[in-house]
Amino acid sequence: MHMLVERIMTSPVETLHVNDTIHEAMNMMSRLSIRHIPIVDDDDNLAGIISDKDVNLALPSIASKDADLSLDLELGKIMRQQVTTCHPLDFVEEIAKDFYHFAIGAIPVMRGKKIVGIVTQKDMLNTFLELTGIKEPGSIIEIDIKDRMGVIFDIGKVFKDLNIKIVSISIYPDADKKDHKIIVLRIDAMNPLIAIEKLKESGFNVLDPSEMS
Amino acid sequence: MKPLYVYNDELLKYRFNDTHPFNQMRLKLTTDLLTDAGFLNDEDIIKPRIATDEELKLVHSPDYIEAVRAAGHGKLAAEELAKYGLDSEDTPSFKNMHEKCAALVGATLTAVDLVMSGETDKALSLAGGLHHGFSGKASGFCVYNDTAIACEYITQKYGKKVLYIDTDAHHGDGVQWTFYNRNDVVTYSIHETGRYLFPGTGSATERGTEEGFGYTVNLPIDAFTEDESFLEVFKTSLERVIQSFEPDVILSQNGVDAHFRDPMTHLSLTSKSYEEIPRFVRQMADKYTAGKWIAVGGGGYNIWQVVPRMWSQIWLAMKHMDAPSGFLPEEFIGKYKEQCKVDFPVLWEDTLEDFTEIPRRVEISEKNKSTLERIIMYLEQ
């Protein structure tokens, strides 16, 4: 997934100042339906980040009498100062590891000390859906192959000869067989039977749905 | 009121080529089976009219209609054929394709007019049901989308709310996308999931957009689903949809390719489901739409062993007749047994000697039930 962060980030980003209050953060989160706000200092440099969880932790319980006081608390006092950031030219798969390892919800995108965008878990999921999702109708064929040079060419030739377009290809390692891979083809055909027959004639092991999991 | 059956032999001419799996010979087989059994008489049969260009334009773009016309007369350039999906194995151009496709659409509209004008309350045109056709592109064996045209025709000409019911094994994508932002046509499609099967769309989360949000209902069921699970989720979800939408008329697409003997799909229904589906739809029409029900055909690629017997049930359901059992009429067997290259079925009901049991039955039924619950949750929102 050598897609760049700049393709999936949200930009420009709404920010708040270190002297803004929890009250303002709550309003912004609810108005924009977001859960993370980068916090900047007087020079507009990134100073920290707050999440809805940080806000909740800073608030007293419903029963407390000091609710108003807490709402006036400055964000500089409760923000997280250790922020995981990235650059617009980072690979999406690299920041996916950050999301996974640090269990974080959003990563600000920086050029130097200036914030130029933000990527959230939701953006990551959307990107994944875009990669696996479909825009054109098609049937699925799965082939179990022993990995070798030219195998994609050989499969491609079968479809070229049949005048059937391949819409997308994904390749997974076979969990059970060493050196084997599963090739998943989405083809532009309602009737996959002709292609399946040709693939079998050419020696390919086409998986039947009853043996796929 | 007596139901009516739209048919003539002209409709058999929708044929891409000699080896294509979409074979309208099944219309003749079904009509002969019903006639030979004494269930269908000459006075039940109405000759179809031909759809006009204006009617095709209710759904299709003018340039696409011109392209189909030119392709059928051998006058469309190769790159244009590709652009309109007319050069694929699924929908290759054939001689006079516009005229033959317009005849098929006309047959469906004939059935619509019979019901909407009040001449009868139930009409069947098995030639139609080509639910994959898009506004400007042929797809999945379908050139003009007669089902989408029929729904639009009902809303525009008669000003009525339509419930479209699609029980074909494939998702009814062409009809769904035509009405995705509309609230005067609700599209309900129950189909094999897109995990393996064309077109791959039709997940439960596809629910419509803008004013049409909530007016698209999809119930994807797992490969190898059997009668009991199918009927449970189908009946429960369908009645809920009808209750919340309150349609004026039902238009049902009756693909029979979810049958276990169909070569194209991976569902495992038997004649039990195909006896019950149209009878349940009829019951719904009688209960909620003053009996108004138009039915069309659809997928079905085992034309000898499956389609004629399964499609007959739609007509019998319209006539309020129970599913017959025992031998098919001798005359029918005599006429066709020799031509059939596979085992010719001689009974109305399926015999199950070639039915393969699936070990994951419990899991599959559970999964279907969980999809049903999600759909009901959506309907209650």
Side-chain angles (χ1 to χ4, degrees):
Chain A
M1 206 208 294
H2 275 48
M3 199 182 274
L4 299 180
V5 163
E6 63 183 5
R7 186 167 176 273
I8 71 162
M9 70 186 185
T10 302
S11 173
V13 199
E14 298 278 345
T15 59
L16 287 174
H17 187 269
V18 281
N19 298 132
D20 287 329
T21 63
I22 290 189
H23 189 69
E24 281 154 318
M26 288 170 74
N27 281 344
M28 182 181 275
M29 285 179 182
S30 117
R31 179 167 52 86
L32 302 173
S33 297
I34 54 173
R35 288 173 16 208
H36 301 87
I37 303 171
I39 309 300
V40 294
D41 62 17
D42 290 340
D43 301 323
D44 238 9
N45 292 338
L46 183 72
I49 190 167
I50 57 153
S51 70
D52 55 345
K53 208 164 88 185
D54 302 324
V55 169
N56 287 337
L57 285 173
L59 289 176
S61 75
I62 298 170
S64 163
K65 288 174 191 142
D66 302 327
D68 288 345
L69 190 78
S70 295
L71 287 175
D72 289 335
L73 207 59
E74 286 182 1
L75 295 173
K77 302 248 165 54
I78 64 156
M79 68 184 187
R80 285 165 198 256
Q81 286 166 298
Q82 297 283 35
V83 188
T84 306
T85 65
C86 66
H87 188 270
L89 299 183
D90 278 340
F91 293 136
V92 171
E93 64 195 278
E94 283 302 318
I95 67 165
K97 289 178 194 161
D98 289 335
F99 276 106
Y100 184 78
H101 288 305
F102 303 126
I104 48 183
I107 300 181
V109 186
M110 310 295 297
R111 294 184 67 176
K113 288 179 178 170
K114 295 286 181 281
I115 172 163
V116 294
I118 191 164
V119 178
T120 66
Q121 279 184 355
K122 200 172 154 187
D123 298 323
M124 297 299 288
L125 272 174
N126 265 336
T127 308
F128 175 74
L129 282 178
E130 197 186 336
L131 287 176
T132 58
I134 48 162
K135 294 206 172 102
E136 294 171 66
S139 306
I140 300 278
I141 295 180
E142 295 194 8
I143 310 169
D144 175 22
I145 54 126
K146 185 166 182 350
D147 205 4
R148 63 174 166 82
M149 176 76 74
V151 67
I152 295 291
F153 178 88
D154 293 342
I155 292 171
K157 184 159 189 320
V158 170
F159 288 92
K160 171 97 172 60
D161 291 347
L162 288 171
N163 194 28
I164 294 176
K165 192 171 80 176
I166 298 174
V167 179
S168 74
I169 301 183
S170 350
I171 303 175
Y172 306 97
D174 188 324
D176 302 322
K177 286 191 247 169
K178 195 173 173 287
D179 298 333
H180 276 247
K181 288 194 169 145
I182 308 285
I183 299 195
V184 183
L185 300 169
R186 182 173 186 81
I187 62 165
D188 180 16
M190 166 139 144
N191 178 12
L193 300 175
I194 316 168
I196 289 172
E197 196 185 320
K198 287 282 176 220
L199 285 166
K200 284 181 174 168
E201 272 174 29
S202 311
F204 286 105
N205 179 18
V206 182
L207 299 176
D208 186 85
S210 63
E211 43 187 356
M212 298 187 228
S213 54
Chain B
M1 270 191 276
K2 277 173 49 185
L4 294 166
Y5 187 96
V6 179
Y7 178 80
N8 70 0
D9 286 344
E10 285 300 302
L11 297 169
L12 307 179
K13 295 181 180 165
Y14 181 88
R15 187 89 179 108
F16 294 102
N17 54 51
D18 290 345
T19 55
H20 197 284
F22 193 95
N23 185 348
Q24 292 293 49
M25 175 69 181
R26 54 202 187 134
L27 295 178
K28 181 155 180 58
L29 287 167
T30 308
T31 307
D32 283 357
L33 173 57
L34 285 168
T35 309
D36 292 343
F39 299 140
L40 182 69
N41 300 306
D42 286 348
E43 64 264 29
D44 300 323
I45 301 178
I46 303 290
K47 267 178 65 177
R49 66 178 178 86
I50 292 170
T52 63
D53 277 18
E54 285 312 306
E55 287 164 345
L56 299 176
K57 282 180 200 160
L58 290 171
V59 165
H60 297 289
S61 61
D63 61 313
Y64 175 61
I65 296 169
E66 280 320 304
V68 173
R69 202 189 303 271
H73 300 157
K75 288 178 183 159
L76 199 65
E79 64 268 26
E80 291 286 293
L81 282 173
K83 178 177 155 197
Y84 293 110
L86 298 170
D87 68 338
S88 64
E89 289 283 339
D90 280 351
T91 46
S93 64
F94 59 95
K95 191 161 180 260
N96 293 330
M97 73 188 303
H98 167 81
E99 291 75 8
K100 289 162 186 174
C101 296
L104 183 154
V105 178
T108 299
L109 294 181
T110 302
V112 169
D113 282 329
L114 289 170
V115 171
M116 299 313 293
S117 68
E119 191 167 336
T120 182
D121 60 353
K122 294 177 181 66
L124 172 61
S125 178
L126 290 167
L130 278 70
H131 60 168
H132 295 305
F134 290 110
S135 163
K137 195 169 186 191
S139 174
F141 308 170
C142 306
V143 182
Y144 294 143
N145 191 328
D146 65 291
T147 32
I149 294 170
C151 293
E152 183 69 56
Y153 183 77
I154 294 170
T155 63
Q156 289 202 14
K157 182 166 177 192
Y158 298 100
K160 298 291 182 194
K161 286 201 293 184
V162 190
L163 167 63
Y164 170 73
I165 302 171
D166 187 323
T167 49
D168 193 283
H170 300 87
H171 173 225
D173 56 347
V175 186
Q176 167 174 309
W177 302 126
T178 303
F179 300 102
Y180 209 55
N181 60 356
R182 296 264 296 269
N183 59 16
D184 49 356
V185 176
V186 71
T187 63
Y188 169 96
S189 181
I190 180 168
H191 46 262
E192 180 181 329
T193 67
R195 173 71 179 82
Y196 317 108
L197 195 67
F198 183 94
T201 46
S203 72
T205 51
E206 289 165 28
R207 298 170 63 195
T209 180
E210 298 160 38
E211 306 94 276
F213 184 74
Y215 293 84
T216 293
V217 180
N218 281 302
L219 211 172
I221 52 174
D222 255 38
F224 308 111
T225 293
E226 295 171 81
D227 292 326
E228 201 185 326
S229 174
F230 177 90
L231 289 168
E232 180 198 1
V233 298
F234 170 66
K235 290 180 176 178
T236 312
S237 57
L238 184 62
E239 189 156 10
R240 295 298 287 272
V241 169
I242 296 178
Q243 285 167 343
S244 52
F245 181 67
E246 301 180 336
D248 299 311
V249 56
I250 290 173
L251 190 143
S252 73
Q253 194 270 17
N254 293 271
V256 288
D257 47 359
H259 191 279
F260 77 96
R261 284 196 189 119
D262 192 280
M264 208 78 79
T265 77
H266 318 100
L267 293 173
S268 304
L269 306 192
T270 73
S271 52
K272 183 178 190 298
S273 289
Y274 290 109
E275 288 165 7
E276 287 203 42
I277 292 167
R279 287 179 177 79
F280 187 72
V281 173
R282 183 207 65 213
Q283 204 187 315
M284 292 296 100
D286 287 343
K287 193 167 165 188
Y288 296 103
T289 62
K292 285 189 190 307
W293 170 31
I294 299 140
V296 294
Y301 309 101
N302 186 334
I303 69 162
W304 296 102
Q305 296 176 312
V306 176
V307 183
R309 293 177 304 130
M310 305 307 131
W311 272 359
S312 291
Q313 300 298 338
I314 309 166
W315 177 245
L316 297 173
M318 286 189 166
K319 285 172 68 82
H320 282 249
M321 288 173 69
D322 290 336
S325 61
F327 284 97
L328 299 178
E330 267 177 43
E331 204 185 337
F332 178 75
I333 297 174
K335 221 180 296 181
Y336 290 114
K337 190 168 193 260
E338 291 305 307
Q339 293 180 44
C340 173
K341 295 192 179 65
V342 283
D343 283 343
F344 192 81
V346 294
L347 300 175
W348 281 100
E349 63 276 22
D350 281 335
T351 50
L352 300 178
E353 67 281 348
D354 54 340
F355 186 87
T356 7
E357 294 252 345
I358 298 298
R360 294 176 55 211
R361 177 185 289 163
V362 175
E363 223 178 320
I364 290 169
S365 303
E366 253 172 36
K367 163 88 190 307
N368 292 339
K369 206 163 178 178
S370 111
T371 309
L372 170 69
E373 280 161 10
R374 174 189 266 243
I375 285 177
I376 288 178
M377 181 187 84
Y378 287 158
L379 289 169
E380 283 168 354
Q381 276 172 1

